[in-house]
């Protein structure tokens, strides 16, 4: 039923608009009053009460073919096939009554491991978001495109927890058997992006590819550096280095051939963004980019990145081509250095430390950092948190699977691992000061240059 409904031939019956251009999506979003233009021609949208991810509303369908592989628990909550089918049918009925937008694209820059994904959105601005974040096919690739996974985003559809088996009106439900993701009840676009990451975190280990929540860049000597870390620790900022070329800002795979970017764009946190500190990201926020929950002047359209009126978790999505010299396709060799980024808000960690393989695997499993304000609903000040592999909410398998893969890569390629604290020094949050970006960049440079 899903495959039939989502074919191009049915687009008129279901009022689907397939693979619109950036200009068409921007114009449609403006016409429908979903968003406004900033002074730099970026599209600004507000996401309502959901300004971050909703991890307690994420479910995996409990299916016999996948049951024994999933690390069930608070982060991978089971939902029945019956509840999934009911929600799925609700989503189909909901879409049939509305104009919707379809983007066909790829995840994974290495064609050997590339996953064709179809994304269907209720909102034009959400479709622009995935258009810029995923890998965009050329005309020839579109002619023969066959999705292996379908993501359906219907923010206006609210779940009934009693009838639908959810915890709230919001739901993010993954069926690995049906190869479908349902997202509803939230307008936060980051759920679309992270659902794709969760899919790859399940699929790729079975293909001997290590999926990683990290950014990556490369220098003139082909020296690749990986930056692991949770939201707000500096992955995107540190990888967008004017002296090096960006491979990707958030999600990569490490195969026997080297590393590859999962995405075709970047999703940067932009609270307190300035041209002085982050010139590449600042200049990337132009036509075709999407700003989430950024305050703009109603008269001039000028963004105010220092204003957290809507949330601390203001975001910017843009195609990787907006970063000068970005590596496309995002494929490179094995890393010369692996860097763990931790925003320690308690004045415990030193600014930098070199780790043994065993220490690296242990810290990778612990994933200590401070959850910063705004990255999740309800977080208003830094909180100590432990997130396995710097991405526990996106790991369907046991974290030890990923830690073992890290250890094997370190051994095989003799890769050094460093821990860099991008948090507070001289005392905890409120007493000490956050380590200056210039100091962190200097430490990173020292690591990469040996």
């Amino acid at each position: 039923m899903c495959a039939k409904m989502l074919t191009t031939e049915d687009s008129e019956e279901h009022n689907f608009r397939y693979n619109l251009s950036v200009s068409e999506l921007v114009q449609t979003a403006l016409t429908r009053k979903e968003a406004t233009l900033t002074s730099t021609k970026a599209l600004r949208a507000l996401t309502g009460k959901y300004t971050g991810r909703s991890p307690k509303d994420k479910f995996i369908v409990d299916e016999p073919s996948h049951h024994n592989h999933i690390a069930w628990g608070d982060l991978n909550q089971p939902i029945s096939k019956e509840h999934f089918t009911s929600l799925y049918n609700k989503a189909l009925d909901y879409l049939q009554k509305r104009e919707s937008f379809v983007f066909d694209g790829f995840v994974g820059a290495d064609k050997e491991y590339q996953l064709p994904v179809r994304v269907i959105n209720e909102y034009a601005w959400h479709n622009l978001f995935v258009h810029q974040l995923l890998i965009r096919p050329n005309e020839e690739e579109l002619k023969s495109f066959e999705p292996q996974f379908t993501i359906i985003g219907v923010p206006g559809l609210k779940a009934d927890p009693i009838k639908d088996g959810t915890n709230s009106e919001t739901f993010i439900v993954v069926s690995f058997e049906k190869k479908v993701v349902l997202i509803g009840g939230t307008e936060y676009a980051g759920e679309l992006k992270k659902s794709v990451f969760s899919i790859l975190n399940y699929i790729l280990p079975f293909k001997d590819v290590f999926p990683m929540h990290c950014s990556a860049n490369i220098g003139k000597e082909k020296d690749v550096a990986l930056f692991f870390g949770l939201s707000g620790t500096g992955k995107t900022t540190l990888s967008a280095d004017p002296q090096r070329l960006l491979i990707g800002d958030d999600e990569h795979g490490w195969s026997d051939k080297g590393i590859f970017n999962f995405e075709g764009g970047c999703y940067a946190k932009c609270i307190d963004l300035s041209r002085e500190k982050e010139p590449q990201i600042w200049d990337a926020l132009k036509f075709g980019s999407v700003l989430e929950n950024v305050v703009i002047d109603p008269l001039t359209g000028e963004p105010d990145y220092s204003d957290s009126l809507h949330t601390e978790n203001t975001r910017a999505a843009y195609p990787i081509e907006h970063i000068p010299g970005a590596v496309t396709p995002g494929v490179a060799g094995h890393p010369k250095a692996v860097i763990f980024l931790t925003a320690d808000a308690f004045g415990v960690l030193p600014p930098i430390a070199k780790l043994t393989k065993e220490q690296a695997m242990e810290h990778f499993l612990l994933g200590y950092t401070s959850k910063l304000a705004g990255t999740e609903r309800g977080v208003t000040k830094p909180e100590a948190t432990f997130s396995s592999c710097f991405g526990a909410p996106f790991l369907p398998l046991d974290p030890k699977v990923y830690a073992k893969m890290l250890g094997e890569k370190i051994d095989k390629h003799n890769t050094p691992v460093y821990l860099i604290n991008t948090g507070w020094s001289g005392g905890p949050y409120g007493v000490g000061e956050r380590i200056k970006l210039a100091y962190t960049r200097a430490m990173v440079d020292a690591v990469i240059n040996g």
Side-chain angles (χ1 to χ4, degrees):
M1 179 169 62
C2 178
K4 180 181 183 303
M5 179 189 170
L6 305 181
T7 58
T8 310
E9 289 76 13
D10 291 338
S11 60
E12 272 190 33
E13 178 187 349
H14 297 290
N15 208 15
F16 289 165
R17 300 183 68 185
Y18 280 78
N19 297 307
L20 299 186
S21 67
V22 168
S23 295
E24 289 171 319
L25 287 169
V26 169
Q27 187 57 53
T28 304
L30 294 173
T31 301
R32 288 164 47 127
K33 299 190 182 334
E34 296 176 1
T36 55
L37 275 185
T38 71
S39 58
T40 65
K41 307 303 181 192
L43 195 70
R44 192 289 303 264
L46 299 177
T47 65
K49 66 179 178 179
Y50 296 98
T51 58
R53 291 182 294 102
S54 301
K56 293 179 181 177
D57 297 310
K58 185 168 168 267
F59 299 87
I60 297 176
V61 183
D62 192 355
E63 297 154 326
S65 55
H66 302 279
H67 176 86
N68 291 335
H69 296 304
I70 305 297
W72 300 107
D74 291 342
L75 296 175
N76 293 314
Q77 302 174 97
I79 193 169
S80 71
K81 293 173 75 171
E82 292 74 23
H83 281 135
F84 167 77
T85 301
S86 174
L87 274 171
Y88 176 70
N89 289 332
K90 283 183 182 180
L92 299 195
D93 291 342
Y94 184 86
L95 284 171
Q96 286 179 3
K97 299 167 187 171
R98 290 163 176 80
E99 179 183 54
S100 304
F101 306 89
V102 180
F103 171 75
D104 292 330
F106 299 110
V107 191
D110 185 332
K111 291 191 179 296
E112 184 177 346
Y113 304 106
Q114 203 166 66
L115 181 72
V117 174
R118 171 164 291 167
V119 187
I120 304 168
N121 298 110
E122 175 185 356
Y123 294 161
W125 84 262
H126 274 179
N127 206 242
L128 175 63
F129 176 90
V130 295
H131 181 287
Q132 303 296 47
L133 261 292
L134 302 187
I135 296 172
R136 298 158 286 281
N138 58 38
E139 288 186 16
E140 282 303 309
E141 289 170 327
L142 275 179
K143 287 178 185 176
S144 58
F145 190 87
E146 292 186 14
Q148 292 180 21
F149 241 96
T150 300
I151 299 166
I152 301 174
V154 280
L157 178 63
K158 313 293 185 187
D160 181 335
I162 296 173
K163 292 181 180 178
D164 297 319
T166 60
N167 293 328
S168 75
E169 65 183 7
T170 299
F171 56 94
I172 302 99
V173 183
V174 183
S175 168
F176 287 108
E177 198 170 88
K178 300 297 183 185
K179 300 188 184 303
V180 170
V181 181
L182 302 176
I183 302 173
T186 173
E187 297 180 36
Y188 181 64
E191 299 287 13
L192 294 160
K193 166 190 162 66
K194 288 304 184 186
S195 67
V196 177
F197 187 40
S198 298
I199 293 167
L200 292 180
N201 279 329
Y202 182 81
I203 293 172
L204 289 180
F206 294 106
K207 299 182 178 182
D208 291 324
V209 175
F210 175 32
M212 306 175 292
H213 187 207
C214 71
S215 60
N217 63 23
I218 187 169
K220 294 175 183 176
E221 305 300 319
K222 304 299 179 187
D223 48 337
V224 175
L226 302 183
F227 302 86
F228 286 83
L230 290 176
S231 212
T233 57
K235 285 196 324 299
T236 299
T237 298
L238 291 167
S239 58
D241 185 335
Q243 305 305 315
R244 297 170 60 80
L245 301 181
L246 179 68
I247 300 169
D249 86 315
D250 195 43
E251 302 164 6
H252 293 80
W254 190 350
S255 72
D256 285 339
K257 296 183 289 183
I259 68 150
F260 61 94
N261 190 4
F262 288 167
E263 302 178 300
C266 303
Y267 190 42
K269 203 170 180 198
C270 55
I271 192 70
D272 293 326
L273 177 71
S274 69
R275 174 171 271 152
E276 178 190 4
K277 290 182 180 177
E278 299 167 89
Q280 289 188 320
I281 297 174
W282 179 277
D283 291 338
L285 307 185
K286 52 192 177 183
F287 182 78
S289 298
V290 178
L291 303 183
E292 273 187 315
N293 299 312
V294 172
V295 173
I296 61 172
D297 187 297
L299 296 178
T300 65
E302 192 82 24
D304 183 354
Y305 296 112
S306 65
D307 195 330
S308 58
L309 172 67
H310 305 297
T311 177
E312 287 273 341
N313 190 35
T314 51
R315 292 277 179 170
Y318 48 91
I320 199 164
E321 291 84 2
H322 282 194
I323 298 292
V327 178
T328 52
V331 177
H334 299 290
K336 182 181 177 182
V338 169
I339 298 169
F340 293 163
L341 301 170
T342 295
D344 173 34
F346 303 95
V348 175
L349 293 180
I352 187 166
K354 187 174 183 180
L355 307 179
T356 65
K357 182 189 85 170
E358 291 73 22
Q359 288 172 331
M361 291 174 67
E362 183 178 3
H363 194 81
F364 191 60
L365 276 173
L366 287 173
Y368 164 67
T369 192
S370 300
K371 194 181 293 181
L372 301 182
T375 51
E376 289 181 12
R377 288 189 290 129
V379 179
T380 56
K381 63 181 182 178
E383 298 175 4
T385 188
F386 295 86
S387 184
S388 298
C389 313
F390 299 103
F394 323 118
L395 306 181
L397 306 179
D398 189 312
K400 292 176 184 175
V401 171
Y402 308 100
K404 182 172 180 283
M405 296 185 89
L406 172 66
E408 289 169 350
K409 293 296 184 187
I410 292 170
D411 269 344
K412 187 170 183 178
H413 304 288
N414 196 28
T415 309
V417 182
Y418 299 85
L419 175 65
I420 293 181
N421 177 17
T422 63
W424 278 258
S425 183
Y429 174 83
V431 177
E433 291 185 359
R434 189 154 192 188
I435 296 169
K436 295 184 188 304
L437 178 59
Y439 297 167
T440 302
R441 284 204 188 279
M443 286 185 271
V444 169
D445 290 345
V447 162
I448 293 170
N449 295 326

